[in-house]
């Protein structure tokens, strides 16, 4: 039964200090990566949520679910099997007209002359249908001169289809526009059309819907909005007239349209080469700055010797005394200081009692012994003003003796 | 070109060309590593004075060098301008004048010396660090020097050139001379009188070659800022005046600085060199935020001080010092040595104590009076155990300590 020498447990040699330092570095590096990944993930989440909920809002925007948008009409048309296309540029709309589609122009008033002429030419050549929402005089003069300048319809409310409507009413009997009380959109427009065209939903001044030679004019944008399409028979008219061909291009004019550059911006007056030249100057400056702007040596840090405000203790004690309203303690300190100084002047021992000091003082001041005792004796101080007065009185007493 | 052909590739080519020009300029610049630098720096200056130095730059290349030099001293070294630019022609040498006005006592160093060389077009530069160590010691201003002549005069009077003769422990026999009116009758040497017709008196003079050990406390309390400088500065001012005076009196002076450890000592300097040694050694001493270990200091003092040597403790007399155990140590020291405790008082305390404006200042005055009475109590306690306490504001502390020393000399206690 021999006890074998147990193998000496090989002591886990602690890594040299440099090893610890090296181990610490990757950890900080990993934390760096962790931070970067976290930030990226958060950015991605934010972007995704923004992108999912994003739609372009505006009057008659096909994606907008707001009151002024037209998501309802577009979705119902798509459910009915109509191929709805959204165009933002005039060129696309012209192409759609060429290929025989129906084109709805949501805001003809915002089109420039060039764009209107392009649309008119395309419509004349190819014969696609053009639906205009509340066009103004200028637009109409280009696109359909037969339809006459609009007269405003202020009252709103219901407009009944007349007897001479025919196909144009698409089976709708009554159109309803929001009244002033609903306060949603501006006035509708009324149109008058020549003999060759047809019109419907007329009042004495004109009709709300007019057609001439493939151009259909709707007198109010409220017929198409999410809010207005559900009223009365509006939906029948809208769906019927827009979905008739089974193909619809929803043209919402946008400011970024290359053909819409109606007015030149300030930058537009610069010559073509200005941009590249500016960029070149920037790059040259950057190269020069990198070459010249490097820091010239290290920042010199200097460890300065420590200094301490020596009165901190005294000031702190003063604040403590004041906060605890220790008027008597303060008065005691002031009185004993004055007593000590006076005793020094009279050559008295500091330890001698108050009586000795008062007796020595009495011949030199014109105060009664009672007053002196009040001043130097342990009389309680009742108010803050009393303390200040005491301090001044002690001062005066010392000055009196000094004289 | 870009105006004529506004294209992206033209832009690219131009940028590349520009980068090439900059690069070529950098390559054309003189290699700053070949510039030889020689530093002619002063080694020490009294604080408050200005001292000049030079940097000598030699250009051994065959091309002129447009140089910019940055000598990065620490800011309190007070170098007038850290940067300078100059042209050094080929094979020639130029000097950069420098002037230092240090604003802080202690050692100042040049942390880095950089030389950059600009290209001929001035578009690029090459920089290098030069190894040219610079060190400047800003010495204690020793403002109390001006009080030395009057104290030396007084010392001469005591020493026997005037008529104040008194026998005591710290005096030695000087000479015999005839009695004149006014001499102390106790100093008549009867044996010598018997041999001659006239009455002869013995004269005594203070013993020479005594030992003075100055102990400066560099702990937390010495870091207090009194007026312009710290308490430690005033302490050194006192120590230096005492050293100068004791040197005149023929005494040997040693100095120890203590806080947790005795960290600096000037021991065994010769009489002529001691002041210089002390000024140099104390230049770099700064306060430390620790409490003084007085027991350790006492053991150091008993090792260093000869029997009967004057021990001067320069430490603030405050209530806090008593808690750190100064009192028993002082009692023990005072048994073996004449002991002076020199304290630099805070003049702000007096101002606070005189405040009478509103309630707050009155409370402050009360607190200041309380602190003063505590200090007076500590002074009394120290005097009761046998120490001489000298307590004066910084502008009077050196004179007060010198006067205490002279009083000890005059009393024949030293």
């Amino acid at each position: 039964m021999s006890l074998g020498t147990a193998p000496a447990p090989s002591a886990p040699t602690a890594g040299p200090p440099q090893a610890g330092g090296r181990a610490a570095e990757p950890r900080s590096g990993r934390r760096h990566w962790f931070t970067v990944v976290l930030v990226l993930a958060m950015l991605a989440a934010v972007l995704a949520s923004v992108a999912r909920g994003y739609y372009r809002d505006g009057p008659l925007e096909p994606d907008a679910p707001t009151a002024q948008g037209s998501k309802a009409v577009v979705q119902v048309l798509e459910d009915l099997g109509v191929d709805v296309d959204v165009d933002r540029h005039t060129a696309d709309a012209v192409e759609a007209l060429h290929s025989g589609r129906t084109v709805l122009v949501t805001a003809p008033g915002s089109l420039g002359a060039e764009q209107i002429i392009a649309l008119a030419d395309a419509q004349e050549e190819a014969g696609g249908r053009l639906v205009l929402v509340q066009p103004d005089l200028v637009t109409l003069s280009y696109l359909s001169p037969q339809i006459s300048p609009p007269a405003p319809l202020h009252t709103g409310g219901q407009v009944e289809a007349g007897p001479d409507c025919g196909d144009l009413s698409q089976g709708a009997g009554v159109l309803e526009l929001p009244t002033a009380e609903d306060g949603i959109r501006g006035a509708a427009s009324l149109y008058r059309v020549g003999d060759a065209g047809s019109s419907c939903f007329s009042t004495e001044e004109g009709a709300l819907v007019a057609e001439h030679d493939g151009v259909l004019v709707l007198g109010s944008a409220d017929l198409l909005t999410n809010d207005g399409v559900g009223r009365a028979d509006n939906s029948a008219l809208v769906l019927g007239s827009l979905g008739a061909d089974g193909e619809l291009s929803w043209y919402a004019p946008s400011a970024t349209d290359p053909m819409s550059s109606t007015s030149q911006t300030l930058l537009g007056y610069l010559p073509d080469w200005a941009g590249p030249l500016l960029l070149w100057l920037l790059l040259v400056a950057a190269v020069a700055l990198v070459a010249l702007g490097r820091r010239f040596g290290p920042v010199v840090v200097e460890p300065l010797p420590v200094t301490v405000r020596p009165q901190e203790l005294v000031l702190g004690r003063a604040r403590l005394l004041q906060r605890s309203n220790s008027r008597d303690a303060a008065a005691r300190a002031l009185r004993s200081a004055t007593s000590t100084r006076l005793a020094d002047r009279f050559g008295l021992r500091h330890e001698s009692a108050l009586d000795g000091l008062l007796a020595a003082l009495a011949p030199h001041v014109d105060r009664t012994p009672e007053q002196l005792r009040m001043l130097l004796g342990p009389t309680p101080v009742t108010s803050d003003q009393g303390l200040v007065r005491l301090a001044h009185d002690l001062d005066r007493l010392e000055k009196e003796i000094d004289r | 070109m870009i105006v004529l052909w506004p294209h992206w590739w033209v832009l690219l080519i131009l940028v590349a060309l520009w980068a090439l020009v900059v690069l070529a300029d950098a390559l054309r610049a003189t290699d700053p590593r070949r510039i030889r630098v020689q530093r002619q720096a002063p080694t020490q200056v009294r604080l408050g004075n200005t001292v000049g130095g030079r940097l000598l730059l030699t250009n051994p290349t065959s091309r002129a060098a447009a140089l910019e030099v940055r000598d990065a001293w620490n800011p309190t070294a007070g170098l007038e301008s850290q940067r300078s630019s100059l042209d050094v022609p080929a094979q020639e040498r130029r000097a950069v004048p420098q002037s230092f006005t240090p604003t802080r006592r202690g050692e100042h160093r040049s942390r880095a010396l950089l030389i950059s060389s600009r290209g001929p077009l001035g578009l690029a530069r090459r920089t290098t660090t030069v190894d040219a160590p610079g060190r400047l010691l800003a010495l204690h201003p020793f403002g109390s020097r001006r009080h030395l002549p009057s104290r030396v005069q007084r010392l001469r009077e005591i020493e026997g050139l005037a008529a104040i003769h008194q026998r005591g422990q710290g005096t030695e026999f000087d000479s015999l001379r005839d009695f004149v009116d006014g001499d102390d009758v106790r100093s008549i040497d009867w044996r010598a009188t018997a041999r001659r017709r006239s009455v002869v008196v013995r004269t005594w003079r203070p013993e020479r070659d005594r030992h003075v050990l100055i102990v400066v406390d560099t702990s937390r309390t010495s870091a207090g800022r009194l007026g312009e400088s710290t308490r430690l500065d005033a302490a050194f001012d006192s120590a230096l005046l005492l050293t100068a005076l004791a040197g005149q009196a023929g005494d040997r002076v040693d100095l120890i600085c203590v806080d947790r450890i005795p960290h600096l000592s000037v021991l065994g300097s010769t009489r002529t060199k001691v002041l210089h040694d002390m000024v140099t050694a104390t230049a770099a001493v700064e306060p430390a935020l620790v409490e003084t270990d007085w027991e350790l200091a006492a053991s150091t003092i008993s090792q260093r001080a000869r029997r009967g040597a004057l021990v001067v403790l320069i430490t603030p007399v405050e209530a806090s010092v008593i808690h750190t155990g100064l009192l028993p140590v002082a009692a023990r020291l005072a048994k073996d040595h004449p002991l002076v405790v020199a304290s630099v008082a805070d003049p702000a305390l007096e101002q606070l104590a005189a405040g009478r404006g509103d309630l707050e200042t009155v409370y402050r005055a009360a607190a200041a009076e309380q602190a003063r009475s505590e200090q007076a109590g500590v002074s009394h306690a120290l005097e009761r155990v046998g120490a001489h306490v000298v307590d004066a504001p910084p502008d009077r502390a050196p004179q007060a300590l010198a006067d205490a020393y002279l009083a000890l000399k005059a009393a024949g206690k030293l």
Side-chain angles (χ1 to χ4, degrees):
Chain A
M1 213 173 92
S2 67
L3 283 170
T5 48
S10 61
T13 45
Q18 308 99 297
R22 247 182 271 133
E25 235 167 74
R27 197 185 303 157
S28 74
R30 214 179 302 151
R31 205 169 51 205
H32 239 87
W33 273 112
F34 183 70
T35 314
V36 167
V37 167
L38 201 72
V39 166
L40 282 180
M42 279 169 70
L43 272 179
V46 167
L47 279 177
S49 66
V50 166
R52 192 183 297 168
Y54 179 78
Y55 56 85
R56 199 194 281 211
D57 195 11
L60 302 187
E61 279 293 336
D63 293 335
T66 51
Q68 58 174 350
S70 294
K71 193 173 181 181
V73 175
V74 172
Q75 226 159 40
V76 172
L77 281 171
E78 277 176 348
D79 289 348
L80 291 175
V82 179
D83 173 24
V84 182
D85 226 8
V86 179
D87 293 334
R88 302 270 170 204
H89 294 175
T90 315
D92 298 336
V94 167
E95 205 173 303
L97 277 177
H98 275 299
S99 58
R101 297 166 73 105
T102 304
V103 171
L104 169 75
V105 184
T106 60
S110 70
L111 294 177
E114 207 179 329
Q115 292 167 295
I116 296 173
I117 291 167
L119 285 174
D121 289 351
Q123 202 264 333
E124 253 172 52
E125 282 173 26
R129 280 183 77 217
L130 198 56
V131 183
L132 306 175
V133 180
Q134 216 178 342
D136 58 8
L137 169 64
V138 182
T139 318
L140 280 177
S141 68
Y142 281 109
L143 287 172
S144 181
Q146 293 298 315
I147 300 177
S148 65
L153 175 66
H154 291 296
T155 49
Q158 297 199 334
V159 183
E160 286 189 21
D164 52 348
C165 264
D167 276 351
L168 203 53
S169 73
Q170 304 286 353
V174 179
L175 295 186
E176 187 183 343
L177 298 178
T179 55
E181 286 129 47
D182 294 327
I184 292 182
R185 274 185 66 86
S189 301
L190 296 175
Y191 298 91
R192 226 175 270 268
V193 67
D195 294 337
S198 58
S199 64
C200 196
F201 303 102
S202 322
T203 62
E204 296 89 54
E205 287 160 343
L208 204 55
V209 177
E211 190 181 19
H212 178 259
D213 198 14
V215 175
L216 176 67
V217 172
L218 298 178
S220 169
D222 287 308
L223 299 173
L224 295 165
T225 58
N226 291 333
D227 196 57
V229 75
R231 294 168 187 254
D233 295 339
N234 291 2
S235 55
L237 172 72
V238 168
L239 297 175
S241 49
L242 292 181
D245 296 347
E247 286 178 324
L248 174 67
S249 282
W250 193 286
Y251 174 40
S254 76
T256 55
D257 192 337
M259 287 180 78
S260 78
S261 58
T262 49
S263 70
Q264 274 210 325
T265 57
L266 202 60
L267 286 174
Y269 290 109
L270 287 174
D272 292 344
W273 43 265
L277 186 69
L278 199 70
L279 197 64
W280 183 64
L281 286 177
L282 273 176
L283 282 169
V284 165
V287 169
L289 283 178
V290 166
L292 285 177
R294 280 189 304 156
R295 197 177 65 178
F296 197 17
V299 174
V300 174
V301 188
E302 181 176 10
L304 289 173
V306 59
T307 57
V308 179
R309 268 187 75 188
Q311 305 98 22
E312 289 292 342
L313 195 66
V314 170
L315 297 182
R317 190 188 276 169
R319 274 195 288 275
L320 278 180
L321 282 176
Q322 188 172 3
R323 195 174 302 168
S324 61
N325 277 328
S326 312
R327 286 185 285 267
D328 284 327
R332 196 160 51 238
L334 292 171
R335 279 168 174 156
S336 80
T338 302
S339 300
T340 311
R341 280 195 287 270
L342 290 175
D344 278 345
R345 280 193 70 79
F346 285 111
L348 300 172
R349 280 170 54 109
H350 298 170
E351 292 82 2
S352 71
L354 180 66
D355 295 323
L357 179 64
L358 293 181
L361 274 174
H364 299 279
V365 294
D366 24 333
R367 294 169 202 245
T368 63
E370 288 74 35
Q371 279 176 325
L372 280 177
R373 186 172 288 281
M374 275 281 283
L375 195 57
L376 290 173
T379 325
V381 180
T382 47
S383 67
D384 288 343
Q385 288 86 353
L387 182 64
V388 177
R389 209 177 312 125
L390 174 76
H392 281 284
D393 284 349
L394 288 172
D395 251 14
R396 212 169 301 132
L397 178 65
E398 273 185 72
K399 283 196 187 114
E400 221 169 302
I401 296 301
D402 278 348
R403 231 173 336 159
Chain B
M1 226 156 87
I2 199 144
V3 176
L4 293 180
W5 301 290
H7 290 296
W8 293 108
W9 54 267
V10 176
L11 186 74
L12 210 66
I13 290 173
L14 284 176
V15 167
L17 274 177
W18 175 245
L20 266 179
V21 167
V22 170
L23 198 68
D25 195 43
L27 288 176
R28 287 269 298 157
T30 313
D31 188 355
R33 278 169 296 186
R34 296 189 60 191
I35 303 289
R36 282 205 299 272
V37 180
Q38 198 185 351
R39 188 190 284 281
Q40 290 184 341
T43 53
Q44 58 187 34
V45 59
R46 207 178 278 286
L47 193 64
N49 292 4
T50 302
V51 71
R54 290 201 301 174
L55 277 180
L56 297 175
L57 305 173
T58 313
N59 180 9
T61 61
S62 55
R63 219 185 282 163
L67 299 179
E68 197 173 339
V69 183
R70 177 177 173 220
D71 196 2
W73 285 77
N74 51 339
T76 56
L79 177 57
E80 199 175 20
S81 61
Q82 286 203 349
R83 290 166 188 239
S84 49
S85 41
L86 71 166
D87 294 327
V88 184
Q91 309 283 348
E92 284 195 35
R93 190 173 78 168
R94 290 285 182 272
V96 179
Q98 297 178 312
S99 89
F100 298 89
T101 314
T103 54
R104 178 175 67 83
R105 182 169 57 79
E107 195 189 53
H108 302 285
R109 278 181 187 285
S110 168
R111 307 297 167 87
L113 177 60
L114 292 117
I115 294 185
S116 85
S117 155
R118 272 193 315 276
L121 300 177
L123 292 174
R125 61 177 196 200
R126 297 161 74 184
T127 308
T128 187
T129 312
V130 182
D131 184 34
R135 178 177 176 276
L136 174 67
L137 198 61
L139 302 176
H140 193 281
F142 193 12
S144 59
R145 246 175 324 172
R146 62 181 189 278
H147 299 295
L148 187 59
S150 63
R151 265 62 191 183
V152 169
Q153 170 114 28
R154 173 116 178 79
L155 179 73
R156 295 280 172 259
E157 285 173 13
I158 295 167
E159 269 188 340
L161 302 179
I164 304 151
H165 289 165
Q166 208 174 2
R167 192 178 173 180
Q169 201 187 2
T171 54
E172 58 190 5
F173 173 70
D174 185 32
S175 61
L176 291 170
R177 62 167 173 78
D178 284 345
F179 181 85
V180 291
D181 221 14
D183 277 345
D184 190 353
V185 288
R186 284 173 297 180
S187 60
I188 295 173
D189 187 348
W190 293 110
R191 202 175 292 193
T193 306
R195 282 200 293 272
R196 298 176 60 173
R197 282 224 229 120
S198 56
V199 182
V200 172
V201 292
R202 285 179 182 213
T203 60
W204 305 88
R205 62 167 190 195
E207 206 171 331
R208 292 179 75 87
D209 203 23
R210 303 303 304 255
H211 185 204
V212 178
L213 180 65
I214 304 175
V215 182
V216 178
D217 177 13
T218 61
S219 70
R220 178 181 60 80
T221 47
S222 69
R225 177 169 278 282
L226 311 180
E228 301 256 306
S229 56
T230 60
R231 189 170 256 152
L232 187 66
D233 286 329
F236 281 140
D237 217 12
S238 306
L240 292 173
L241 183 64
L242 181 59
T243 307
L245 186 60
Q248 293 285 334
D251 290 343
R252 231 162 45 68
V253 186
D254 288 340
L255 175 109
I256 311 176
C257 294
V258 290
D259 41 57
R260 293 301 308 170
I261 46 161
H263 57 82
L264 177 111
S265 47
V266 182
L267 300 172
S269 293
T270 59
R271 202 168 296 159
T272 46
K273 276 194 63 198
V274 63
L275 192 62
H276 173 260
D277 287 353
M278 214 169 274
V279 168
T280 316
T282 56
V285 177
E286 300 295 352
L289 287 184
V290 293
E291 296 288 350
T292 308
D293 184 352
W294 282 111
E295 287 298 331
L296 190 71
S299 68
T300 317
I301 291 165
S302 57
Q303 272 171 28
R304 298 293 176 202
R306 281 197 240 151
R307 184 153 184 83
L310 171 67
V311 176
V312 179
L313 295 184
I314 305 187
T315 180
V317 170
E318 280 179 359
S320 65
V321 172
I322 298 306
H323 302 311
T324 57
L326 173 63
L327 205 53
V329 169
R332 241 180 303 148
L333 286 174
K335 264 183 206 145
D336 298 337
H337 308 279
L339 177 66
V340 174
V341 178
S343 161
V344 182
D346 183 1
L349 210 57
E350 204 165 330
Q351 286 171 15
L352 280 179
R356 290 291 184 271
D358 54 355
L359 186 66
E360 193 181 354
T361 51
V362 168
Y363 270 114
R364 281 184 182 175
E369 292 289 12
Q370 214 167 333
R372 271 161 59 155
S373 82
E374 276 168 14
Q375 285 175 14
V378 174
S379 292
H380 283 310
L382 283 170
E383 270 168 1
R384 215 168 294 134
V385 299
H388 300 269
V389 178
V390 181
D391 194 11
D395 52 338
R396 291 204 303 273
Q399 300 96 291
L401 179 59
D403 289 343
Y405 170 79
L406 290 175
L408 282 174
K409 279 269 180 198
K413 288 186 184 157
L414 187 68

